[in-house]
Coordinates of all heavy atoms in Angstrom, one line a residue:
M19 N 66.7 195.2 -81.9 CA 67.0 196.5 -81.4 C 65.8 197.4 -81.5 O 65.8 198.6 -81.2 CB 68.1 197.1 -82.3 CG 68.3 198.5 -82.0 SD 69.8 199.2 -82.7 CE 69.9 200.7 -81.7
S20 N 64.6 196.9 -81.9 CA 63.5 197.8 -82.0 C 63.2 198.6 -80.8 O 63.2 198.1 -79.7 CB 62.3 196.9 -82.4 OG 62.3 196.5 -83.7
S21 N 62.9 199.8 -81.0 CA 62.5 200.7 -79.9 C 61.5 201.7 -80.4 O 61.2 201.8 -81.6 CB 63.7 201.4 -79.3 OG 64.3 202.3 -80.3
A22 N 61.0 202.5 -79.5 CA 59.9 203.5 -79.9 C 60.5 204.5 -80.9 O 59.8 204.8 -81.9 CB 59.4 204.2 -78.6
H23 N 61.6 205.0 -80.7 CA 62.3 205.9 -81.7 C 63.7 205.4 -82.0 O 64.5 205.2 -81.1 CB 62.4 207.3 -81.0 CG 62.7 208.4 -82.0 ND1 63.9 208.5 -82.6 CD2 61.9 209.4 -82.6 CE1 63.9 209.5 -83.4 NE2 62.7 210.1 -83.4
P24 N 63.9 205.2 -83.3 CA 65.2 204.5 -83.6 C 66.5 205.4 -83.3 O 67.6 204.8 -83.2 CB 65.1 204.3 -85.1 CG 64.0 205.1 -85.6 CD 63.1 205.4 -84.4
F25 N 66.3 206.7 -83.1 CA 67.5 207.5 -82.8 C 67.5 208.0 -81.4 O 68.2 209.0 -81.1 CB 67.5 208.6 -83.9 CG 67.7 208.1 -85.3 CD1 66.6 208.2 -86.2 CD2 68.8 207.5 -85.7 CE1 66.8 207.7 -87.5 CE2 69.0 207.0 -87.0 CZ 67.9 207.1 -87.9
Y26 N 66.8 207.4 -80.5 CA 66.8 207.7 -79.1 C 68.2 207.5 -78.5 O 68.7 206.4 -78.8 CB 65.7 206.9 -78.4 CG 65.7 207.1 -76.9 CD1 65.1 208.2 -76.3 CD2 66.3 206.2 -76.0 CE1 65.1 208.4 -75.0 CE2 66.3 206.4 -74.7 CZ 65.7 207.5 -74.1 OH 65.7 207.7 -72.8
S27 N 68.7 208.4 -77.8 CA 70.1 208.3 -77.3 C 70.1 208.2 -75.8 O 71.2 207.9 -75.2 CB 71.0 209.4 -77.8 OG 70.6 210.6 -77.4
G28 N 69.1 208.6 -75.1 CA 69.1 208.5 -73.6 C 68.3 209.6 -73.0 O 67.8 210.5 -73.7
T29 N 68.2 209.6 -71.7 CA 67.5 210.6 -70.9 C 68.6 211.3 -70.1 O 69.4 210.7 -69.4 CB 66.5 210.0 -70.0 OG1 65.5 209.3 -70.9 CG2 65.7 211.1 -69.3
Y30 N 68.6 212.7 -70.2 CA 69.6 213.5 -69.4 C 68.8 214.6 -68.7 O 68.0 215.3 -69.3 CB 70.6 214.1 -70.4 CG 71.4 213.0 -71.1 CD1 71.0 212.7 -72.4 CD2 72.4 212.3 -70.5 CE1 71.7 211.7 -73.1 CE2 73.1 211.3 -71.2 CZ 72.7 211.0 -72.5 OH 73.4 210.0 -73.2
N31 N 69.0 214.7 -67.4 CA 68.3 215.7 -66.6 C 66.8 215.6 -66.8 O 66.1 216.6 -66.9 CB 68.8 217.1 -66.9 CG 70.2 217.3 -66.5 OD1 70.6 216.7 -65.5 ND2 71.0 218.0 -67.2
G32 N 66.3 214.4 -67.0 CA 64.8 214.2 -67.1 C 64.3 214.4 -68.5 O 63.1 214.4 -68.7
R33 N 65.1 214.7 -69.5 CA 64.7 215.0 -70.9 C 65.2 213.9 -71.8 O 66.3 213.5 -71.7 CB 65.2 216.3 -71.3 CG 64.6 217.5 -70.5 CD 65.1 218.8 -71.1 NE 64.6 219.9 -70.3 CZ 63.6 220.6 -70.5 NH1 62.8 220.4 -71.6 NH2 63.3 221.6 -69.7
D34 N 64.3 213.5 -72.7 CA 64.7 212.5 -73.7 C 65.5 213.2 -74.8 O 65.2 214.3 -75.2 CB 63.5 211.9 -74.4 CG 62.7 211.0 -73.4 OD1 63.3 210.4 -72.5 OD2 61.5 210.8 -73.6
C35 N 66.6 212.5 -75.2 CA 67.5 213.1 -76.2 C 67.6 212.1 -77.3 O 67.5 210.9 -77.2 CB 68.9 213.3 -75.6 SG 68.9 214.5 -74.2
Y36 N 67.9 212.7 -78.5 CA 67.9 211.9 -79.7 C 69.1 212.3 -80.6 O 69.5 213.4 -80.5 CB 66.6 212.1 -80.6 CG 65.4 211.8 -79.8 CD1 64.8 212.8 -79.0 CD2 64.9 210.5 -79.8 CE1 63.6 212.5 -78.3 CE2 63.7 210.2 -79.1 CZ 63.1 211.2 -78.3 OH 62.0 210.9 -77.6
C37 N 69.7 211.4 -81.4 CA 70.7 211.7 -82.3 C 70.1 212.5 -83.4 O 69.0 212.2 -84.0 CB 71.3 210.4 -83.0 SG 72.1 209.4 -81.8
M38 N 70.7 213.7 -83.7 CA 70.1 214.6 -84.7 C 71.0 214.7 -85.9 O 70.4 215.0 -87.0 CB 69.8 215.9 -84.1 CG 68.8 215.9 -82.9 SD 67.2 215.2 -83.3 CE 66.6 216.5 -84.4
T39 N 72.3 214.6 -85.8 CA 73.1 214.9 -87.0 C 73.2 213.6 -87.9 O 73.0 212.5 -87.4 CB 74.6 215.2 -86.5 OG1 75.2 214.0 -85.9 CG2 74.6 216.4 -85.6
A40 N 73.4 213.9 -89.1 CA 73.4 212.8 -90.1 C 74.6 211.8 -89.7 O 74.4 210.6 -89.8 CB 73.7 213.3 -91.5
D41 N 75.7 212.3 -89.3 CA 76.8 211.5 -89.0 C 76.5 210.5 -87.8 O 76.7 209.3 -87.9 CB 78.0 212.3 -88.6 CG 79.3 211.5 -88.3 OD1 79.6 210.6 -89.2 OD2 79.9 211.7 -87.3
D42 N 75.9 211.0 -86.8 CA 75.5 210.2 -85.6 C 74.4 209.2 -86.0 O 74.5 208.0 -85.6 CB 74.9 211.1 -84.5 CG 76.0 211.9 -83.8 OD1 77.2 211.5 -83.9 OD2 75.6 212.9 -83.1
R43 N 73.5 209.6 -86.8 CA 72.4 208.7 -87.3 C 73.0 207.6 -88.2 O 72.6 206.4 -88.0 CB 71.3 209.4 -88.0 CG 70.5 210.3 -87.0 CD 69.4 211.0 -87.8 NE 68.5 211.6 -86.8 CZ 67.4 212.3 -87.2 NH1 67.1 212.4 -88.4 NH2 66.6 212.8 -86.2
V44 N 73.9 207.9 -89.1 CA 74.4 206.9 -90.0 C 75.2 205.8 -89.1 O 75.1 204.6 -89.4 CB 75.3 207.5 -91.0 CG1 76.2 206.5 -91.8 CG2 74.5 208.3 -92.0
K45 N 75.9 206.3 -88.1 CA 76.6 205.3 -87.3 C 75.7 204.4 -86.5 O 76.0 203.2 -86.4 CB 77.5 206.1 -86.2 CG 78.7 206.8 -86.8 CD 79.4 207.6 -85.8 CE 80.5 208.4 -86.5 NZ 81.2 209.4 -85.6
R46 N 74.5 204.9 -86.1 CA 73.6 204.0 -85.4 C 72.9 203.0 -86.3 O 72.6 201.9 -85.9 CB 72.5 204.9 -84.8 CG 73.1 205.8 -83.7 CD 72.4 206.1 -82.6 NE 71.5 205.1 -82.1 CZ 70.8 205.2 -81.0 NH1 71.0 206.3 -80.2 NH2 70.0 204.3 -80.5
V47 N 72.7 203.4 -87.6 CA 72.1 202.5 -88.6 C 72.8 201.1 -88.7 O 72.2 200.1 -88.9 CB 72.0 203.2 -89.9 CG1 71.6 202.2 -91.0 CG2 71.0 204.3 -89.9
A48 N 74.1 201.1 -88.5 CA 74.9 199.9 -88.6 C 74.4 198.8 -87.7 O 74.6 197.6 -87.9 CB 76.4 200.2 -88.4
D49 N 73.7 199.1 -86.6 CA 73.2 198.2 -85.6 C 71.7 197.9 -85.7 O 71.2 197.1 -84.9 CB 73.6 198.6 -84.2 CG 75.1 198.7 -83.9 OD1 75.8 197.9 -84.5 OD2 75.5 199.6 -83.2
F50 N 71.1 198.5 -86.7 CA 69.6 198.3 -86.8 C 69.2 197.0 -87.3 O 69.9 196.4 -88.2 CB 69.0 199.4 -87.7 CG 68.9 200.8 -87.1 CD1 69.4 201.1 -85.8 CD2 68.4 201.8 -87.9 CE1 69.3 202.4 -85.3 CE2 68.3 203.1 -87.3 CZ 68.7 203.4 -86.1
D51 N 68.1 196.5 -86.9 CA 67.5 195.3 -87.5 C 66.4 195.8 -88.5 O 66.2 197.0 -88.6 CB 66.9 194.3 -86.5 CG 65.8 195.0 -85.6 OD1 65.4 196.1 -85.9 OD2 65.5 194.4 -84.6
L52 N 65.8 194.9 -89.2 CA 64.8 195.3 -90.3 C 63.6 196.2 -89.7 O 63.3 197.2 -90.3 CB 64.2 194.1 -91.0 CG 65.1 193.7 -92.2 CD1 64.6 192.4 -92.8 CD2 65.2 194.7 -93.3
P53 N 63.0 195.8 -88.6 CA 61.9 196.6 -88.1 C 62.4 198.0 -87.7 O 61.7 199.0 -87.9 CB 61.4 195.8 -86.8 CG 61.8 194.4 -87.1 CD 63.1 194.5 -87.9
T54 N 63.6 198.1 -87.1 CA 64.1 199.4 -86.7 C 64.4 200.2 -88.0 O 64.2 201.5 -88.0 CB 65.4 199.2 -85.8 OG1 65.1 198.4 -84.8 CG2 65.8 200.6 -85.3
C55 N 64.9 199.6 -89.0 CA 65.1 200.3 -90.3 C 63.8 200.9 -90.8 O 63.8 202.1 -91.2 CB 65.8 199.4 -91.3 SG 67.5 199.0 -91.0
R56 N 62.8 200.1 -90.8 CA 61.5 200.6 -91.3 C 61.0 201.7 -90.5 O 60.5 202.7 -91.0 CB 60.5 199.4 -91.3 CG 60.8 198.4 -92.3 CD 59.7 197.3 -92.4 NE 60.1 196.2 -93.2 CZ 60.6 195.0 -92.8 NH1 60.6 194.8 -91.5 NH2 61.0 194.1 -93.6
A57 N 61.1 201.7 -89.2 CA 60.7 202.8 -88.3 C 61.5 204.0 -88.6 O 61.0 205.1 -88.5 CB 60.8 202.3 -86.8
A58 N 62.8 203.8 -88.8 CA 63.7 205.0 -89.0 C 63.3 205.7 -90.3 O 63.5 206.9 -90.4 CB 65.2 204.5 -89.1
L59 N 62.9 205.0 -91.3 CA 62.5 205.6 -92.6 C 61.3 206.6 -92.4 O 61.0 207.4 -93.2 CB 62.2 204.6 -93.6 CG 63.4 203.9 -94.2 CD1 63.0 202.8 -95.2 CD2 64.3 204.9 -94.9
E60 N 60.5 206.4 -91.3 CA 59.4 207.2 -91.0 C 59.7 208.4 -90.2 O 58.8 209.3 -90.0 CB 58.3 206.3 -90.3 CG 57.8 205.1 -91.0 CD 57.2 205.5 -92.3 OE1 56.4 206.4 -92.3 OE2 57.4 204.8 -93.3
V61 N 60.9 208.6 -89.8 CA 61.3 209.8 -88.9 C 61.2 211.0 -89.8 O 61.7 211.1 -90.9 CB 62.7 209.6 -88.4 CG1 63.2 210.9 -87.7 CG2 62.7 208.4 -87.4
A62 N 60.5 212.0 -89.2 CA 60.3 213.3 -89.9 C 61.7 214.0 -90.0 O 62.5 214.0 -89.1 CB 59.3 214.2 -89.2
G63 N 61.9 214.6 -91.2 CA 63.2 215.4 -91.4 C 64.4 214.6 -91.6 O 65.5 215.0 -91.3
L64 N 64.2 213.3 -92.0 CA 65.3 212.4 -92.2 C 66.3 212.9 -93.3 O 65.8 213.2 -94.4 CB 64.8 211.0 -92.5 CG 65.8 209.9 -92.5 CD1 66.3 209.6 -91.1 CD2 65.2 208.6 -93.0
Q65 N 67.6 213.0 -93.0 CA 68.5 213.4 -94.0 C 68.7 212.4 -95.1 O 68.6 211.2 -94.9 CB 69.9 213.7 -93.3 CG 69.9 214.7 -92.2 CD 69.7 214.2 -90.8 OE1 69.1 213.1 -90.6 NE2 70.2 214.9 -89.8
G66 N 69.0 212.9 -96.3 CA 69.2 212.0 -97.4 C 70.2 210.9 -97.3 O 70.1 209.8 -97.6
T67 N 71.4 211.3 -96.7 CA 72.4 210.4 -96.5 C 72.0 209.3 -95.5 O 72.4 208.1 -95.6 CB 73.7 211.0 -95.9 OG1 73.4 211.8 -94.8 CG2 74.3 212.0 -97.0
V68 N 71.2 209.6 -94.5 CA 70.7 208.7 -93.5 C 69.8 207.7 -94.2 O 69.8 206.5 -94.0 CB 70.1 209.4 -92.3 CG1 69.6 208.4 -91.3 CG2 71.1 210.3 -91.6
K69 N 68.9 208.2 -95.0 CA 67.9 207.4 -95.8 C 68.7 206.4 -96.6 O 68.3 205.2 -96.6 CB 67.0 208.3 -96.6 CG 66.0 207.5 -97.4 CD 65.1 208.3 -98.2 CE 64.1 207.5 -98.9 NZ 63.2 208.2 -99.8
K70 N 69.7 206.8 -97.3 CA 70.5 205.9 -98.1 C 71.2 204.8 -97.3 O 71.2 203.7 -97.7 CB 71.5 206.7 -99.0 CG 70.9 207.5 -100.1 CD 72.0 208.3 -100.8 CE 71.4 209.2 -101.9 NZ 72.4 210.0 -102.5
A71 N 71.7 205.2 -96.1 CA 72.3 204.3 -95.2 C 71.3 203.2 -94.7 O 71.7 202.0 -94.7 CB 73.0 205.0 -94.1
I72 N 70.1 203.7 -94.4 CA 69.1 202.7 -94.0 C 68.7 201.8 -95.1 O 68.6 200.6 -94.9 CB 67.9 203.5 -93.5 CG1 68.2 204.3 -92.3 CG2 66.7 202.6 -93.2 CD1 67.1 205.4 -91.9
E73 N 68.6 202.3 -96.3 CA 68.2 201.4 -97.4 C 69.3 200.4 -97.7 O 69.0 199.2 -98.0 CB 67.9 202.3 -98.7 CG 66.6 203.1 -98.5 CD 66.4 204.2 -99.6 OE1 67.4 204.5 -100.3 OE2 65.3 204.7 -99.7
R74 N 70.6 200.8 -97.6 CA 71.7 199.9 -97.8 C 71.7 198.8 -96.7 O 71.8 197.6 -97.0 CB 73.0 200.6 -97.7 CG 73.5 201.2 -99.0 CD 75.0 201.6 -98.9 NE 75.3 202.4 -97.8 CZ 75.2 203.7 -97.7 NH1 74.8 204.4 -98.8 NH2 75.6 204.4 -96.6
R75 N 71.4 199.2 -95.5 CA 71.3 198.3 -94.4 C 70.2 197.3 -94.6 O 70.4 196.1 -94.3 CB 71.1 199.0 -93.0 CG 71.0 198.2 -91.8 CD 72.3 197.5 -91.4 NE 72.0 196.7 -90.2 CZ 72.8 195.7 -89.8 NH1 73.8 195.4 -90.5 NH2 72.5 195.1 -88.7
M76 N 69.1 197.7 -95.0 CA 67.9 196.9 -95.3 C 68.2 195.8 -96.4 O 67.9 194.7 -96.2 CB 66.7 197.7 -95.7 CG 66.1 198.5 -94.5 SD 64.7 199.5 -95.0 CE 63.5 198.3 -95.1
R77 N 68.9 196.3 -97.4 CA 69.3 195.3 -98.5 C 70.2 194.3 -98.0 O 70.1 193.1 -98.3 CB 69.9 196.0 -99.7 CG 68.9 196.8 -100.5 CD 69.5 197.3 -101.8 NE 70.6 198.2 -101.7 CZ 70.6 199.5 -101.6 NH1 69.4 200.1 -101.6 NH2 71.6 200.2 -101.4
K78 N 71.2 194.7 -97.1 CA 72.1 193.7 -96.6 C 71.4 192.7 -95.7 O 71.7 191.5 -95.8 CB 73.2 194.5 -95.8 CG 74.2 193.6 -95.1 CD 75.3 194.4 -94.4 CE 76.3 193.5 -93.7 NZ 77.3 194.2 -93.0
L79 N 70.5 193.2 -94.8 CA 69.8 192.3 -93.9 C 68.9 191.3 -94.7 O 68.8 190.2 -94.3 CB 69.0 193.1 -92.9 CG 69.8 193.9 -91.9 CD1 68.9 194.8 -91.1 CD2 70.5 193.0 -90.9
E80 N 68.3 191.8 -95.7 CA 67.4 191.0 -96.6 C 68.2 189.9 -97.3 O 67.8 188.8 -97.4 CB 66.6 191.8 -97.5 CG 65.5 192.6 -96.8 CD 64.9 193.7 -97.7 OE1 65.4 194.0 -98.8 OE2 63.9 194.3 -97.2
R81 N 69.4 190.2 -97.7 CA 70.3 189.2 -98.4 C 70.7 188.1 -97.4 O 70.9 187.0 -97.7 CB 71.5 189.9 -98.9 CG 71.3 190.5 -100.3 CD 72.7 190.8 -101.0 NE 73.6 191.6 -100.1 CZ 73.7 192.9 -100.1 NH1 72.9 193.7 -100.9 NH2 74.5 193.5 -99.3
L82 N 70.9 188.5 -96.1 CA 71.4 187.6 -95.1 C 70.3 186.6 -94.7 O 70.6 185.6 -94.1 CB 71.9 188.3 -93.9 CG 73.2 189.1 -94.1 CD1 73.6 189.9 -92.9 CD2 74.3 188.2 -94.5
Q83 N 69.0 187.0 -94.9 CA 67.9 186.1 -94.5 C 67.8 184.9 -95.4 O 67.9 184.8 -96.5 CB 66.6 186.9 -94.4 CG 66.6 187.8 -93.3 CD 65.2 188.5 -93.2 OE1 64.4 188.5 -94.1 NE2 64.9 189.1 -92.0

């Protein structure tokens, strides 16, 4: 699932849009792979709950490998 920005949600009227709320971001984390999780941790202004969700997802993916 790796992409340039892990919370990119689409382009509307020629403008790039991103998930900004913690709730929306946590829902997206469930589909992330390890590289996307690492990229997401680098997003400026990342909410604490989102960071915890990413870290949980990373631990789960690492256990599955």
Side-chain angles (χ1 to χ4, degrees):
M19 168 169 201
S20 285
S21 64
H23 192 288
F25 299 110
Y26 175 78
S27 63
T29 302
Y30 302 98
N31 293 325
R33 295 186 186 260
D34 291 334
C35 299
Y36 304 88
C37 295
M38 298 302 292
T39 66
D41 185 50
D42 288 341
R43 288 179 170 186
V44 167
K45 289 176 186 172
R46 298 217 28 178
V47 167
D49 296 324
F50 285 2
D51 57 14
L52 277 172
T54 306
C55 286
R56 290 185 191 104
L59 286 174
E60 300 298 319
V61 171
L64 190 66
Q65 299 94 331
T67 55
V68 178
K69 182 178 179 183
K70 288 178 186 177
I72 294 167
E73 291 167 346
R74 275 193 311 271
R75 177 72 176 158
M76 290 176 78
R77 285 191 301 271
K78 180 179 180 180
L79 292 170
E80 289 166 352
R81 278 193 309 267
L82 293 174
Q83 285 185 343

